[in-house]
Amino acid sequence: MKTGRGAVSGKFAAILAAGMLLSACSAFQKENMTLTGEITDNGRECVTFRADDGTLYALANKATRFRPGDKVRVTGHGALMTTCTEAETLIVDKIVLLGGESN
């Protein structure tokens, strides 16, 4: 077992490598999309959204103040890992109530 500086620099290198790997995965999934549709009541863990093309999405953040039936425009990107199990998950960058205020 290493002790002293060697052990610290080895741990630092492992943490740095893990961080770089995670940021690379995030960047890969960072392609934004903008969709319009309606908030639904299909979600248990997360707010759900049905896009105008019929696709159901789980919204991972910034959507908690919206209610089923609200028409919204969502800008976000796909999530690699999530606790939302209802549908493909979007990490919301911006959500706007159509005809109303934005979040």
Side-chain angles (χ1 to χ4, degrees):
M1 177 181 202
K2 290 184 180 181
T3 59
R5 281 192 178 168
V8 172
S9 66
K11 287 179 184 177
F12 178 75
I15 291 169
L16 182 62
M20 289 173 62
L21 180 61
L22 289 173
S23 68
C25 290
S26 279
F28 180 73
Q29 291 292 332
K30 193 70 173 165
E31 184 177 323
N32 275 356
M33 60 179 91
T34 299
L35 305 163
T36 57
E38 186 173 308
I39 300 295
T40 72
D41 61 356
N42 297 100
R44 291 189 186 140
E45 290 108 8
C46 299
V47 173
T48 52
F49 162 81
R50 186 159 313 272
D52 289 340
D53 70 0
T55 305
L56 183 68
Y57 295 93
L59 303 179
N61 60 343
K62 296 188 181 181
T64 56
R65 68 183 186 92
F66 296 95
R67 300 292 170 248
D70 287 348
K71 301 281 188 183
V72 296
R73 181 173 46 250
V74 176
T75 300
H77 58 278
L80 286 174
M81 295 186 300
T82 180
T83 59
C84 303
T85 59
E86 294 87 355
E88 179 181 344
T89 301
L90 291 179
I91 303 297
V92 177
D93 294 319
K94 183 176 183 180
I95 184 168
V96 177
L97 181 64
L98 295 179
E101 59 190 280
S102 67
N103 182 19

